[in-house]
Amino acid sequence: MMDFLTLWTSDSEQEWKEALNRYWSFVQPANYALEQDMDHLDRAVVQSLTAADFYDWLYNKYFVWKYTQKNRLATTRRALAKRHQDAAGLKELEEIQRQIFTIDTYAQPSQALENVTRIGGLGTAGASGLLAVLFPEHFGTVDVFVAENLLQVPAYVNQLPTMKPNGTINITKDQAVWMVKVFRQKADELNAMFRTDFWTPRRIDMVLWGTRS
């Protein structure tokens, strides 16, 4: 497999598409159908859901997609239920849902992340993932695997958090917004280079995730 730094500066469309395809090799067979659903998600359907149905979609679809480790899924689901399962919580979730689809996610990435992190169980990484599946043309998922790869680019090091000795990494909202802008810039660069509109911030994050070591 090509190393990340070589890929990041590659001008080969084939190499980039091969890197994108590697994302799917990391998908567990049991999650493949859900991955396909998220990859072809119609955000208008999610926007039209009632608050109760939006809660169910988050609980049974999005959280299952984002949190593939059972213990992490369990804790985030508990946080979602604790905050939004009762009538007052559903009312709050309804308002968050409205804000998700009324804000300009391209022009206001920081505010978009702030809105979504109000959902119980979602931190910065989880919020970016939700925005990435709903608005792939504007957002990519920001997580430890993506940050690990970007840290290999010397010019990016001072913009990113450092890895801790135990392998964890804490990503602030400002750092997440910066990474989303990197995704956008790379997508624009590839689209101009290859004369296409195929590349999106979401597909860039998939490449980064799929080229993890």
Side-chain angles (χ1 to χ4, degrees):
M1 183 178 76
M2 177 183 298
D3 69 86
F4 172 73
L5 275 178
T6 302
L7 173 67
W8 196 246
T9 57
S10 172
D11 60 1
S12 167
E13 186 173 16
Q14 179 180 347
E15 288 173 351
W16 275 94
K17 287 194 172 180
E18 286 175 353
L20 177 62
N21 288 336
R22 281 197 294 273
Y23 171 88
W24 295 97
S25 68
F26 287 94
V27 176
Q28 301 170 16
N31 295 337
Y32 194 85
L34 180 57
E35 281 281 351
Q36 287 287 332
D37 287 346
M38 289 298 182
D39 198 45
H40 298 89
L41 184 66
D42 182 350
R43 63 172 167 256
V45 173
V46 180
Q47 183 177 9
S48 69
L49 296 175
T50 65
D53 287 339
F54 184 49
Y55 174 92
D56 288 342
W57 181 82
L58 289 168
Y59 191 94
N60 294 309
K61 293 285 189 178
Y62 177 70
F63 276 46
V64 175
W65 173 80
K66 184 68 180 77
Y67 303 107
T68 54
Q69 294 181 333
K70 289 184 179 180
N71 61 335
R72 188 77 175 105
L73 175 61
T75 57
T76 53
R77 276 177 154 179
R78 282 197 297 270
L80 178 70
K82 182 177 180 180
R83 183 154 183 171
H84 300 298
Q85 203 168 34
D86 61 14
L90 280 176
K91 187 68 175 176
E92 179 188 25
L93 187 62
E94 181 180 42
E95 175 60 18
I96 295 169
Q97 179 188 13
R98 184 192 67 78
Q99 291 175 347
I100 287 172
F101 291 101
T102 55
I103 194 172
D104 184 339
T105 54
Y106 185 84
Q108 298 177 276
S110 181
Q111 186 61 54
L113 283 168
E114 185 172 329
N115 289 342
V116 179
T117 54
R118 292 172 54 206
I119 296 175
L122 295 186
T124 300
S128 70
L130 181 57
L131 290 165
V133 296
L134 291 172
F135 305 97
E137 71 279 20
H138 294 165
F139 257 85
T141 304
V142 171
D143 63 16
V144 63
F145 300 117
V146 168
E148 281 179 346
N149 268 336
L150 290 179
L151 279 168
Q152 297 180 52
V153 182
Y156 295 164
V157 171
N158 291 334
Q159 301 288 339
L160 291 164
T162 56
M163 298 294 296
K164 296 181 180 180
N166 64 358
T168 62
I169 190 169
N170 293 323
I171 301 171
T172 68
K173 184 179 68 174
D174 287 344
Q175 288 164 338
V177 169
W178 181 86
M179 280 189 267
V180 167
K181 290 179 179 179
V182 168
F183 301 159
R184 293 175 179 179
Q185 290 167 0
K186 181 56 72 172
D188 288 345
E189 176 187 323
L190 295 182
N191 282 329
M193 188 184 304
F194 305 141
R195 299 182 181 180
T196 183
D197 60 0
F198 175 80
W199 294 98
T200 63
R202 168 62 183 145
R203 285 184 168 139
I204 298 301
D205 104 54
M206 291 169 74
V207 167
L208 285 160
W209 206 82
T211 53
R212 60 198 174 111
S213 56

